[in-house]
Amino acid sequence: MLSFQVLGPVRVVAPDGVAVDLRGPRHREVLARLLAADDRVVPLDRLIDDLWDEPPANATGAVRTFVAALRRALEPDRPPRTPSRLLTSEGTGYALRAGRDAVDSRRFEDALSSARTASPRYAVDAVNLALGWWRGSAYADFPDAYWARAQRRRLDELRLQAAEVRAAAQLDLGAAGPAIADLETLVAESPWREDAWRLLAVALYRDSRQGDALAALKRAKDLLAGQLGVDAGGRLRQLEVDLLNHAAHLQTAQLHGGDTHAATALYERTVTPGSRTHLRSTVDLLRTLAVTSGPNLVAARQERLAAILAAERTGDADLTARIIGGFDVPAIWSRSDDPDQARQVVAAAERTLTALGPSAADSTRARLLATIAVESRANAATRGLEAAEEAEQLARRLGDPAVLAFALNGRFMQSFRQAGQALARDAIGAEIVELSARHGLTTYEILGHLIRLQARSAAGDLDGADGHATAAERLARHHEAPLVTVFTDWFRCMKAAATGEDPVAVARAYRTAAERLPETGMPGFADGLPALARLSICLLHSRPAPTDPGIGWGAYAPWCRPLALVASGHHDQARTALASLPAPPPDHFLEVRWCLAGHAAVAVGNRRLAAEAYEALRPAAGELLGAGSGVLTLGRATDWLKRL
């Protein structure tokens, strides 16, 4: 993959580390202008205006010549007369379709977003790495171009924020000395940054230099008054009081914003609320937060819809597409946590596709379609499946690994329409693991291992599934994704049940795993699951269903209650309940629902429903039924088919 570098003089580096020859300065400027557009199409007339104060008569032909030469330089192995997948012609303009990982400025933004919400140790390492990508001013070759000035100001501001994030994290780690050195440089370079002065004063105080800390605050107030004619803000004034009073919190307060509220506050202070930049950066933050904890997942879900609706209100379909498609958080569970919100996201994605029309870039279209496929999970309508298939086709044609991983996630979510798909899902998981490991897509690599955990479980390869659980846990520990162990804990309960361990011990393990569910922020996963797991143990050991009053069957009640009625001797009521039983939704428990329906049908003599269940489960012959969920199983499909 080519590396595009704009944090300094613009250049392109091949995978072998050799710089690509970009020909003349105009070629380089065309490339830089397209990179600054951040995947958006730049119309030809805009390119011409940006290249020349007074365009020559042959400007159109010249730009096309520059583009053709760039294509040859960037894709030397592209067969003649085949369209470029990197520098594309779209309508009357051009776009550079480089993935986020391929452009150093985008990697820098992503690293900063991650550092803002990560642990202090990770934040310091991430910012150190990201600041090392800078080789001078951004777009340094084009100091006078107006389009470069705007990008340069934005990226310079993010660089200063990164230094503040690192300093706050260093202080939380007890490293006041390195933080002081960095902050002294920062306030000398940007003396009006109140946050930098605040951090410097705290660092000096923690280094037992109270006098220097007070002197730093005085310098800040003098500079703000002398250069900007403004008084210091309330936080600096309060800090001065706290320093004089030796306030206890100065030594213990956490300064790194490693949670939703602090990160959101940081954005609000530095980016205009409601602006396009604010919306774009917000969705990047939410994507990171969604995998860090249950409360953050809930907050990210809520803010995501608000960001989409705000983007739609701007009337900018390209912006809306980025906000929708940018939330490419890997999804492993096929039942939505918030079905109403999912419907609204799908509707917004469909409206955006319509607004963009046929001229929409393939990468934009693929992300919107992948979003529709993922958010249409457990929906029997065919639109989600169609969207998944088209997204995958577009992603393969693009050759963008991040888009392909997202599209494959959509295909996985649409793979629960019939029983017996373990091998197909295993192939999807294997491709995601290989693709993600090769391109550094860690969250998708975790997803791929969890998909394979489920698929290998369904195939009866529980040791292989355990290997994928271990791999997912190892990645989760390193990248601070604690929700992963929710799924692996439930898998190990299922493995114990499937391998014949003592049912009392298995039930106890399931109860322990269930204790974490309320804090996961995943109601689509948690609702009714403990009761369903309890029922699975009963059926594995040929025991009647539990009949406790008020047992929380949740969404699985229509399929579980008939068995509870049979166990209580109420066969007529069970027959009535089965007569109005809905079709099982296409999700992880499709097979389980058919087993429960078929088992109750046999018990009350409903031959029609028993035959339906038999036909629905036949494709899963040879598998462990329900084990494709990765959380529980009802045993071998062959046993159930014989019974039916």
Side-chain angles (χ1 to χ4, degrees):
M1 188 167 62
L2 293 173
S3 173
F4 295 88
Q5 300 177 0
V6 301
L7 300 178
V10 174
R11 65 176 185 171
V12 183
V13 178
D16 59 3
V18 177
V20 175
D21 182 5
L22 297 177
R23 308 288 296 275
R26 289 296 191 194
H27 300 77
R28 187 182 301 275
E29 189 168 3
V30 169
L31 178 68
R33 180 64 184 87
L34 295 176
L35 283 167
D38 200 13
D39 266 357
R40 295 186 297 277
V41 176
V42 180
L44 177 60
D45 56 357
R46 174 67 62 81
L47 265 178
I48 291 171
D49 288 342
D50 290 344
L51 288 172
W52 292 281
D53 293 331
E54 295 183 13
N58 67 337
T60 298
V63 170
R64 288 174 176 158
T65 299
F66 299 151
V67 168
L70 282 170
R71 284 171 171 161
R72 288 193 295 272
L74 299 176
E75 299 176 282
D77 298 327
R78 179 168 53 88
R81 292 182 295 281
T82 59
S84 173
R85 296 188 302 178
L86 187 58
L87 205 170
T88 62
S89 299
E90 302 188 26
T92 59
Y94 300 100
L96 189 71
R97 301 303 184 187
R100 290 194 67 81
D101 286 347
V103 185
D104 60 356
S105 61
R106 299 176 197 172
R107 291 202 312 274
F108 178 78
E109 292 179 65
D110 292 344
L112 177 55
S113 292
S114 177
R116 280 176 168 137
T117 58
S119 68
R121 178 70 269 162
Y122 176 89
V124 171
D125 292 343
V127 173
N128 281 338
L129 176 65
L131 289 175
W133 299 331
W134 285 76
R135 299 169 290 107
S137 295
Y139 297 93
D141 319 58
F142 311 103
D144 300 321
Y146 81 91
W147 57 265
R149 285 199 297 271
Q151 284 290 320
R152 190 178 302 113
R153 282 195 300 271
R154 183 180 70 84
L155 290 167
D156 282 346
E157 170 62 23
L158 291 176
R159 180 175 59 84
L160 295 173
Q161 291 177 25
E164 292 172 348
V165 168
R166 177 176 63 184
Q170 286 171 327
L171 287 173
D172 283 354
L173 291 170
I180 291 169
D182 288 345
L183 290 165
E184 287 281 14
T185 302
L186 182 56
V187 297
E189 179 183 351
S190 303
W192 44 86
R193 297 187 73 83
E194 292 195 28
D195 261 3
W197 284 109
R198 179 180 62 84
L199 290 167
L200 175 59
V202 173
L204 290 165
Y205 183 82
R206 291 187 179 183
D207 201 38
S208 302
R209 296 165 60 184
Q210 183 193 19
D212 289 339
L214 289 166
L217 289 183
K218 185 177 185 306
R219 284 162 53 205
K221 290 191 293 183
D222 291 346
L223 284 165
L224 289 168
Q227 294 192 15
L228 299 181
V230 298
D231 293 330
R235 298 180 76 192
L236 285 187
R237 293 196 301 271
Q238 182 59 51
L239 178 57
E240 186 174 22
V241 174
D242 291 343
L243 287 170
L244 289 167
N245 293 322
H246 294 279
H249 71 82
L250 290 177
Q251 289 288 1
T252 59
Q254 295 293 296
L255 298 168
H256 173 56
D259 59 36
T260 312
H261 304 295
T264 300
L266 179 61
Y267 275 115
E268 293 296 339
R269 288 198 305 274
T270 55
V271 182
T272 304
S275 67
R276 285 163 169 75
T277 300
H278 185 273
L279 289 169
R280 287 195 297 268
S281 58
T282 295
V283 80
D284 291 338
L285 172 63
L286 296 179
R287 179 179 56 193
T288 302
L289 288 177
V291 298
T292 58
S293 73
N296 283 353
L297 174 61
V298 174
R301 243 188 342 255
Q302 294 167 344
E303 294 299 326
R304 176 198 184 190
L305 183 57
I308 290 171
L309 298 177
E312 282 200 292
R313 285 194 293 273
T314 68
D316 186 337
D318 286 317
L319 173 66
T320 306
R322 173 165 177 170
I323 300 304
I324 295 172
F327 193 81
D328 53 351
V329 177
I332 185 62
W333 196 248
S334 55
R335 187 166 160 236
S336 177
D337 294 320
D338 190 335
D340 181 61
Q341 188 207 70
R343 283 190 291 272
Q344 292 186 65
V345 171
V346 168
E350 296 283 20
R351 288 193 298 270
T352 305
L353 280 170
T354 301
L356 290 171
S359 63
D362 282 354
S363 60
T364 300
R365 186 172 181 81
R367 283 186 172 275
L368 289 171
L369 289 165
T371 299
I372 292 169
V374 170
E375 297 299 338
S376 298
R377 65 187 94 176
N379 190 323
T382 60
R383 173 55 176 157
L385 179 59
E386 294 165 355
E389 291 172 345
E390 186 179 351
E392 184 184 355
Q393 291 170 3
L394 289 169
R396 291 194 185 283
R397 194 161 71 233
L398 283 166
D400 185 325
V403 176
L404 180 55
F406 191 13
L408 289 170
N409 196 174
R411 187 173 136 208
F412 168 72
M413 281 296 171
Q414 295 296 323
S415 68
F416 295 91
R417 295 171 178 272
Q418 69 177 69
Q421 296 299 300
L423 293 180
R425 288 187 203 117
D426 196 36
I428 294 172
E431 183 172 5
I432 292 176
V433 169
E434 189 276 332
L435 179 76
S436 303
R438 193 152 36 93
H439 295 283
L441 305 173
T442 307
T443 53
Y444 275 102
E445 188 177 358
I446 291 171
L447 172 71
H449 282 298
L450 291 178
I451 290 174
R452 297 207 70 190
L453 175 158
Q454 295 174 354
R456 297 316 305 162
S457 295
D461 178 15
L462 295 174
D463 289 337
D466 207 332
H468 289 291
T470 300
E473 288 168 338
R474 183 174 62 250
L475 288 166
R477 280 193 303 273
H478 184 68
H479 296 279
E480 298 178 326
L483 293 177
V484 169
T485 56
V486 174
F487 295 98
T488 56
D489 286 351
W490 277 80
F491 159 73
R492 294 202 167 89
C493 294
M494 181 194 73
K495 182 181 179 185
T499 53
E501 290 193 23
D502 174 39
V504 174
V506 171
R508 189 183 306 117
Y510 269 128
R511 283 196 297 273
T512 300
E515 289 173 359
R516 287 187 63 190
L517 291 179
E519 66 189 41
T520 63
M522 297 184 290
F525 179 69
D527 179 40
L529 188 56
L532 193 62
R534 182 179 168 193
L535 176 59
S536 73
I537 298 172
C538 294
L539 296 181
L540 272 175
H541 294 275
S542 303
R543 296 175 182 170
T547 58
D548 312 7
I551 190 168
W553 296 119
Y556 311 109
W559 293 270
C560 298
R561 280 187 185 135
L563 284 175
L565 290 168
V566 168
S568 301
H570 302 305
H571 285 66
D572 288 342
Q573 292 180 38
R575 288 189 191 93
T576 302
L578 289 174
S580 58
L581 194 66
D587 64 14
H588 274 86
F589 286 133
L590 174 79
E591 296 163 5
V592 169
R593 287 182 173 93
W594 275 120
C595 284
L596 301 181
H599 192 41
V602 170
V604 301
N606 185 332
R607 297 178 64 85
R608 178 195 60 78
L609 183 55
E612 266 190 82
Y614 177 83
E615 289 301 324
L617 292 171
R618 265 209 314 174
E623 295 184 5
L624 283 179
L625 287 182
S629 66
V631 297
L632 60 84
T633 182
L634 301 181
R636 295 186 305 170
T638 49
D639 295 338
W640 281 90
L641 290 170
K642 286 176 184 176
R643 189 177 305 144
L644 290 169

